[in-house]
Amino acid sequence: MVTTINDSQHVALYQAFEQHGRQSSAYFIFQKNVHHFVSKNEMGSVCYARQITPLGRVNIVFTNPLCARSNMSALLTEFLASQCLPTLFVAVDQEVADVLRPLGYYINQTGSESRIPLKSFALHGPKKKQLRHASNFGRRQNCLVKELNWGDVDAEQVRNLSALWRKSKGVSSREMQYVTRPPVFGDEWRVRKFYCMQGLKILAYVFFDPYFKDGKLVGYCANILRALPERECNGAIDYTILEAIKVFQAEGIPELSLGVAPLSNIQKDQNDRKGARWFSQLFYNYGNRLYACKAVAYHKSRYRPIETSWYLCTKDVSLFKAYWGLLFGLKVLGSKEL
């Protein structure tokens, strides 16, 4: 059964999410224009988008399915058998890649996800000198970080900061989607929102999406990170993250994900497509006007996280069609949605 997610499905979806939303990007399923495949055998669900390309339409699965590990193979087999369009999997982890490889999919690394075990995280050591400097941002700028509900913030300031931040980036006129989640300016279920405040002025904010395993909160993903593009705000985002980490550590939260660094540290996989690997490395080195891959990777590396590879999985689709679908579907280059 394939449907578009609507309000009447949200209760069941949130329940499934709490049980099986173990990938740090799992919350990305809560976006507009997401389609929802539900197994007729009650094994789980797959969320995906549809995209038009000059060579036809494609499906894009942009995060791991919601299911028990033991059901992953059967669920993906059922899902793929139900589809008449080629299906791309992007930003999925090793669990999904291992299931798709025997099904004839090419498996290409597409970036590195960064996770921080919070119990052992500390700022000592020469490799965290920059973070220690950022941790003193509040004292230097006379500001502090507050976790606030939407009704307690200046909504106009938050929106204006976001617009100014986007204008300072390569992709300035649109929010990317699917492999990230555009900001929601309002309260959201289980999402934590921290603001760096200088009096009543908002200098920066970070929105943290939850992820779960077997009904238990595993951690938060720092999804939306934004600051005023002013020199005096350099360090405000890291300061906000570090202050949030203190809160999460006090609560006993196991880990924090900094999300994926797209196209970072691409290595050869045992059955990848050489052309896809070449394009990824080329875009990483020369495509930073469209997306600042190098800057994103460098920022995450300062936390000295544990890095794991995420993957692009393709089958029965040309590289041109695959990358057209991804670049436009994810809104790196506009969008043509189905």
Side-chain angles (χ1 to χ4, degrees):
M1 176 176 63
V2 180
T3 61
T4 299
I5 297 173
N6 55 45
D7 290 340
S8 65
Q9 294 171 312
H10 274 175
V11 173
L13 187 59
Y14 283 125
Q15 291 174 342
F17 176 81
E18 284 188 300
Q19 288 298 313
H20 305 303
R22 56 189 172 272
Q23 191 181 19
S24 63
S25 61
Y27 209 94
F28 296 175
I29 65 175
F30 300 110
Q31 297 185 52
K32 295 180 180 179
N33 302 314
V34 171
H35 295 265
H36 191 208
F37 170 85
V38 179
S39 167
K40 63 182 179 181
N41 297 316
E42 299 183 350
M43 290 183 294
S45 61
V46 181
C47 292
Y48 63 100
R50 289 173 175 166
Q51 180 62 33
I52 298 172
T53 81
L55 299 180
R57 300 166 176 173
V58 294
N59 293 329
I60 302 174
V61 177
F62 51 87
T63 190
N64 284 16
L66 297 179
C67 68
R69 290 180 184 273
S70 59
N71 289 337
M72 183 67 73
S73 180
L75 173 62
L76 286 176
T77 299
E78 181 185 348
F79 166 69
L80 291 170
S82 74
Q83 302 301 306
C84 59
L85 302 178
T87 298
L88 316 174
F89 294 78
V90 64
V92 294
D93 65 16
Q94 188 75 49
E95 182 182 351
V96 174
D98 285 344
V99 170
L100 294 176
R101 187 177 280 109
L103 298 180
Y105 270 79
Y106 295 102
I107 310 298
N108 282 82
Q109 294 183 12
T110 192
S112 298
E113 191 223 6
S114 298
R115 296 194 186 205
I116 303 170
L118 293 182
K119 187 175 182 179
S120 60
F121 179 77
L123 294 179
H124 55 73
K127 294 183 178 180
K128 292 180 179 175
K129 181 178 178 180
Q130 290 177 310
L131 289 185
R132 287 198 298 276
H133 181 73
S135 70
N136 293 318
F137 178 87
R139 188 181 69 245
R140 295 194 305 271
Q141 297 295 334
N142 191 29
C143 60
L144 51 83
V145 171
K146 299 179 181 179
E147 182 178 9
L148 298 171
N149 294 322
W150 187 249
D152 298 322
V153 300
D154 183 337
E156 184 177 0
Q157 268 201 80
V158 177
R159 294 176 186 275
N160 288 343
L161 187 154
S162 182
L164 291 170
W165 179 87
R166 288 209 321 273
K167 288 179 181 179
S168 71
K169 303 300 177 182
V171 183
S172 61
S173 62
R174 56 193 171 271
E175 296 281 2
M176 290 181 62
Q177 62 183 3
Y178 302 138
V179 293
T180 185
R181 194 172 68 90
V184 173
F185 299 121
D187 291 323
E188 302 176 86
W189 178 80
R190 302 296 295 268
V191 176
R192 309 280 291 270
K193 301 186 178 184
F194 290 78
Y195 300 84
C196 180
M197 309 289 297
Q198 188 180 60
L200 297 178
K201 182 179 180 181
I202 301 174
L203 303 185
Y205 53 81
V206 181
F207 297 169
F208 296 90
D209 292 346
Y211 52 102
F212 296 81
K213 181 180 179 182
D214 300 328
K216 295 182 179 180
L217 180 69
V218 173
Y220 290 99
C221 176
N223 178 42
I224 299 298
L225 301 81
R226 303 202 169 171
L228 290 172
E230 301 171 2
R231 180 178 297 180
E232 58 268 26
C233 292
N234 288 341
I237 288 177
D238 283 319
Y239 173 62
T240 305
I241 292 173
L242 292 171
E243 290 297 293
I245 283 176
K246 293 178 183 177
V247 174
F248 298 153
Q249 287 177 320
E251 295 174 351
I253 304 301
E255 67 181 36
L256 172 71
S257 172
L258 297 176
V260 68
L263 309 183
S264 172
N265 195 30
I266 299 295
Q267 304 294 322
K268 186 180 187 304
D269 195 88
Q270 58 181 304
N271 68 321
D272 67 1
R273 299 173 81 166
K274 183 177 180 180
R277 178 166 23 100
W278 174 84
F279 180 84
S280 295
Q281 293 169 336
L282 184 70
F283 192 97
Y284 181 82
N285 288 316
Y286 301 106
N288 283 263
R289 292 185 63 183
L290 291 174
Y291 189 84
C293 295
K294 288 185 177 180
V296 170
Y298 174 71
H299 178 258
K300 298 179 193 303
S301 71
R302 292 187 297 183
Y303 288 80
R304 307 301 167 188
I306 297 170
E307 297 186 5
T308 55
S309 294
W310 283 8
Y311 298 90
L312 167 67
C313 310
T314 59
K315 180 183 178 183
D316 300 331
V317 62
S318 69
L319 287 180
F320 176 80
K321 186 174 181 178
Y323 280 109
W324 179 285
L326 291 173
L327 291 174
F328 282 90
L330 309 181
K331 288 192 176 180
V332 177
L333 297 173
S335 178
K336 293 182 179 180
E337 295 166 346
L338 176 58

